[in-house]
Amino acid sequence: MIQQDGSPDFAATADPRSGGRRLERGTVNALVVFGLSIALVVASRMISPALGSWSQVLTILTLASFLVVLSFGQGLVILVGGLDLSVPALITLGGVLTTTWAGADAGVLTVPILALVLGVCALVGLVNGIGVVLLKVPPFIMTMATSITVASVALGFTSGTPRGASPAVLLDLMKTSWAGVPVVVFFLVAFAIAGWIVQSHTVFGRQLFAVGTSREAARIAGVPVGRVEMLPYVISAACAGFVGMMLVGYANGATLRMGDSYMLPSIAAVVIGGSSILGGSGSFVGTVGGAILLTTLGTVIAAIGLDQGWRTIIEGSIIILALLALREGFASRIRLRAKRH
């Protein structure tokens, strides 16, 4: 059916009972993930009184802002059944171009230059989308090839040593505070709300869910499947480029490895937040919770001084446990077995 705004009414063709269950599961997933984050912060005070303080919470939210922005784009790609492995290289590209083209002395040209940097990153995302949608290259292969190419271009462009400093606007975003709270935390809240609205309460968002659930059914319903499947790669690339800008503001500089540690967390945050890696289901609120949980975990592990090997083991174990806890029917099976015994 078609709504008054001209968009397909997917809800009209869906089973309302299953839609209610999906909404309930999404809400429960988000609450569970946020609850785990809070429990982890509270438990950290048992390890050291310095942990779990309000200042540490603000630090966690500041660090989580990078992953939240990145996971929004990655989540849209996963929602349509794809995967974007080019985000580390695009983070680096966004950071390198920001310090090189804008730097600290761009003045009134700062905002246009930053917009140009995002446009370049989005263009790379468009290449990903064309390769996946039109050329039928598997997303894993296409985005990995793009990542290698972009990383090589960044290496040649900088001759191995990125130069320049952060524009003042990015320093203000990442370093200043208002009423004792970092400005970036307010940005995080605004971005989370905007991302939730886009993914869950717009025609574009409904189209993403439809394409991820069944491309053929979406095509029959009148959805422009190719365009809808391509746009998430563009958005993901722009988000990655913006994360590179944020990191430049945070560190006042760029490096060629600045995005390396974000690829797997960007996927894990989406999946831990309750999204299906196969596409068709997900909640950005859950993704925000997953990003905060992973950031909290990394902060606590670093604070207690564990080496990288133990960090990886603990992070992997908690991710697996979170995925098991959020699986549909897992809790009900546990209760059923408990009754039998």
Side-chain angles (χ1 to χ4, degrees):
M1 296 180 65
I2 304 298
Q3 303 182 96
Q4 292 181 349
D5 62 2
S7 65
D9 186 0
F10 305 111
T13 60
D15 181 352
R17 292 174 296 176
S18 64
R21 286 195 296 268
R22 282 197 299 272
L23 177 61
E24 182 181 355
R25 287 200 300 271
T27 303
V28 170
N29 288 346
L31 291 175
V32 168
V33 173
F34 278 110
L36 288 174
S37 300
I38 295 172
L40 189 58
V41 171
V42 173
S44 67
R45 293 191 66 86
M46 301 178 185
I47 301 172
S48 171
L51 299 176
S53 63
W54 175 241
S55 61
Q56 190 201 23
V57 171
L58 293 178
T59 299
I60 289 172
L61 292 176
T62 298
L63 296 176
S65 64
F66 308 124
L67 190 52
V68 167
V69 173
L70 187 63
S71 297
F72 172 67
Q74 184 74 266
L76 297 185
V77 174
I78 290 176
L79 191 57
V80 296
L83 198 64
D84 190 356
L85 303 184
S86 66
V87 291
L90 284 163
I91 290 173
T92 299
L93 180 65
V96 166
L97 292 183
T98 296
T99 58
T100 304
W101 289 356
D105 303 318
V108 295
L109 295 178
T110 298
V111 173
I113 291 174
L114 295 182
L116 177 61
V117 172
L118 289 181
V120 171
C121 293
L123 185 61
V124 175
L126 180 60
V127 172
N128 279 336
I130 291 173
V132 171
V133 178
L134 300 183
L135 303 181
K136 305 302 181 184
V137 180
F140 181 91
I141 302 299
M142 184 66 209
T143 56
M144 180 61 74
T146 302
S147 179
I148 294 172
T149 302
V150 170
S152 300
V153 170
L155 176 62
F157 180 71
T158 62
S159 300
T161 307
R163 294 178 174 82
S166 172
V169 63
L170 296 177
L171 289 174
D172 290 340
L173 173 64
M174 300 306 303
K175 297 292 188 180
T176 59
S177 298
W178 183 73
V181 178
V183 170
V184 70
V185 173
F186 294 104
F187 167 79
L188 172 62
V189 173
F191 186 90
I193 294 173
W196 169 68
I197 292 173
V198 169
Q199 183 168 318
S200 301
H201 296 279
T202 64
V203 172
F204 176 59
R206 293 196 295 271
Q207 291 175 338
L208 291 174
F209 280 99
V211 171
T213 301
S214 172
R215 285 170 176 77
E216 188 58 33
R219 186 176 289 108
I220 293 173
V223 176
V225 174
R227 185 180 67 190
V228 171
E229 192 175 0
M230 196 178 299
L231 277 176
Y233 290 95
V234 178
I235 296 172
S236 178
C239 286
F242 188 71
V243 171
M245 294 179 180
M246 293 172 68
L247 288 169
V248 164
Y250 187 74
N252 198 22
T255 69
L256 292 177
R257 307 298 297 271
M258 61 192 299
D260 288 2
S261 62
Y262 283 94
M263 183 178 69
L264 291 179
S266 73
I267 299 171
V270 175
V271 177
I272 289 174
S275 299
S276 170
I277 195 67
L278 300 177
S281 67
S283 165
F284 185 55
V285 175
T287 297
V288 172
I292 293 175
L293 175 61
L294 289 175
T295 305
T296 303
L297 175 64
T299 303
V300 172
I301 290 175
I304 62 180
L306 291 180
D307 59 39
Q308 186 59 44
W310 283 108
R311 292 183 193 181
T312 304
I313 292 172
I314 294 175
E315 287 178 354
S317 299
I318 291 183
I319 289 172
I320 292 173
L321 290 174
L323 291 175
L324 286 174
L326 295 174
R327 284 180 59 187
E328 181 181 356
F330 179 79
S332 61
R333 288 197 299 270
I334 293 296
R335 287 195 297 267
L336 180 59
R337 291 181 181 179
K339 290 180 180 179
R340 289 176 178 175
H341 293 287

